[in-house]
Amino acid sequence: MTTNSSEVFVFRDGEITPLSARSMRTGLFGKNLEDALQTLFEKCPQLIPGKQIDPGSDEPPKFVLLRREMPVGGWSLDHLFADQNGILTLVETKLVENPESRREVVGQIIEYAANAIEAWSNGRVRQKASEYWTQKGKSLDDILLKEFGDELDLEEYWKNLEANLHNGRLRLIIAADDLRPEVRRMVEYLNREMENAEVYGLEIGCFGDDAESLVIVPHLVGQTQENIDRKTSTRRSVTWSYATLKSAFEEISDERLKSCLSRVLNWAMEEGCFLEAATQ
């Protein structure tokens, strides 16, 4: 576990010096632990370690914050992010110190995911995210283009995100300074058994004596070699998402057939009848 057992060393002037671990139980930025973690994720989405989520990938996921305190099913999720592939990532920051809270935090984020389609589909996730950034005097579109590249087709991106949402392609992350073995086992079990959704724990280690200059180390929990191998195998197949189908239709020379297929595809998306499929 990052906080208790990891060691970080500084190599300077030919000598290696251990960097002392700093307990985040006292918080950061003058805030308690949960508030400090939430602020860290808001300011630094790159704390979600894309290279640990998809190791070996030439384009590991990178993230944009869509909204803090995202409404879902009568509650509010701490953070909602999206990656460049239009996959929503739900992040809940918690202290998990007793058996009740350990079970509660896992059940809570699963409940958020279970209500996500009803709460966020039909453009609502885009609306809520735009409202959040407008209140901060910024444009959500500008943020997406800056992070994911100017060539990003925003309308296609949001259609693809909606398709992923309808197909249950979500990423769920429980973030804490320290995850107990019981939580780790639950996360690993869920990530192994879930077909579409990914479930991870994320430990945030903090090292250094100077509160103004700290080393922060994210460590992903739940990404087993079995899951990596399964994901690698899946990447060899073609996943027929809304975006890939529409792109394939554009290559059809028969204009009448192309138009007909496109109308059927758009109808399926609008009615919530579209399901992704993969072929080898």
Side-chain angles (χ1 to χ4, degrees):
M1 289 176 282
T2 303
T3 314
N4 295 333
S5 62
S6 294
E7 293 181 285
V8 173
F9 297 89
V10 176
F11 182 77
R12 184 184 296 119
D13 298 328
E15 295 187 1
I16 294 179
T17 305
L19 199 60
S20 59
R22 175 188 175 92
S23 173
M24 289 188 66
R25 299 282 151 168
T26 57
L28 292 172
F29 320 115
K31 301 180 180 182
N32 63 35
L33 174 62
E34 288 187 19
D35 286 343
L37 282 176
Q38 289 173 11
T39 301
L40 273 175
F41 279 108
E42 180 181 17
K43 293 179 178 297
C44 307
Q46 61 268 35
L47 278 178
I48 305 174
K51 291 182 179 179
Q52 294 182 43
I53 290 173
D54 198 356
S57 172
D58 293 333
E59 295 185 7
K62 51 185 178 179
F63 301 90
V64 161
L65 175 67
L66 296 184
R67 183 176 176 127
R68 275 189 70 170
E69 301 299 327
M70 180 67 173
V72 51
W75 309 279
S76 62
L77 170 73
D78 286 342
H79 300 83
L80 181 64
F81 295 87
D83 69 12
Q84 73 270 33
N85 300 310
I87 297 176
L88 291 173
T89 298
L90 292 68
V91 176
E92 189 73 4
T93 55
K94 288 292 180 184
L95 288 170
V96 283
E97 295 178 316
N98 57 65
E100 289 74 20
S101 66
R102 295 169 203 160
R103 289 189 290 270
E104 178 183 332
V105 68
V106 176
Q108 187 176 37
I109 200 164
I110 294 296
E111 194 162 13
Y112 291 160
N115 286 275
I117 294 178
E118 181 179 351
W120 299 339
S121 60
N122 298 321
R124 287 191 290 269
V125 65
R126 187 178 188 179
Q127 176 189 347
K128 292 293 185 183
S130 295
E131 290 172 356
Y132 174 80
W133 284 108
T134 298
Q135 290 172 1
K136 292 181 171 294
K138 297 182 180 180
S139 164
L140 174 62
D141 288 351
D142 290 345
I143 292 170
L144 291 170
L145 292 170
K146 179 180 178 181
E147 185 61 34
F148 298 152
D150 292 336
E151 71 281 1
L152 180 69
D153 185 325
L154 289 168
E155 296 307 315
E156 288 299 314
Y157 176 81
W158 286 107
K159 287 179 181 178
N160 192 40
L161 186 146
E162 286 270 350
N164 287 329
L165 176 59
H166 277 280
N167 291 320
R169 295 190 65 192
L170 300 170
R171 189 178 291 116
L172 317 179
I173 296 178
I174 300 165
D177 66 327
D178 185 23
L179 293 171
R180 304 303 302 159
E182 297 89 339
V183 177
R184 296 163 69 94
R185 280 192 287 269
M186 285 188 283
V187 165
E188 288 172 358
Y189 173 80
L190 289 169
N191 199 31
R192 184 172 63 248
E193 296 299 325
M194 284 187 162
E195 183 175 353
N196 292 326
E198 303 169 60
V199 184
Y200 300 112
L202 183 58
E203 294 177 325
I204 305 295
C206 194
F207 299 84
D209 297 319
D210 183 359
E212 300 300 318
S213 179
L214 297 170
V215 173
I216 298 173
V217 181
H219 171 66
L220 196 72
V221 173
Q223 182 62 296
T224 64
Q225 188 61 49
E226 178 185 356
N227 291 331
I228 294 171
D229 292 341
R230 185 176 62 185
K231 183 178 289 186
T232 301
S233 175
T234 302
R235 278 201 294 264
R236 296 193 189 105
S237 66
V238 176
T239 300
W240 292 106
S241 65
Y242 174 87
T244 55
L245 276 172
K246 186 164 185 179
S247 177
F249 292 165
E250 290 299 321
E251 298 178 4
I252 297 174
S253 58
D254 187 326
E255 293 296 330
R256 187 165 177 268
L257 177 59
K258 180 195 301 186
S259 176
C260 180
L261 290 173
S262 296
R263 287 199 303 271
V264 171
L265 178 61
N266 290 332
W267 174 86
M269 281 293 299
E270 291 169 1
E271 297 298 321
C273 301
F274 180 83
L275 292 176
E276 284 188 354
T279 56
Q280 295 292 333

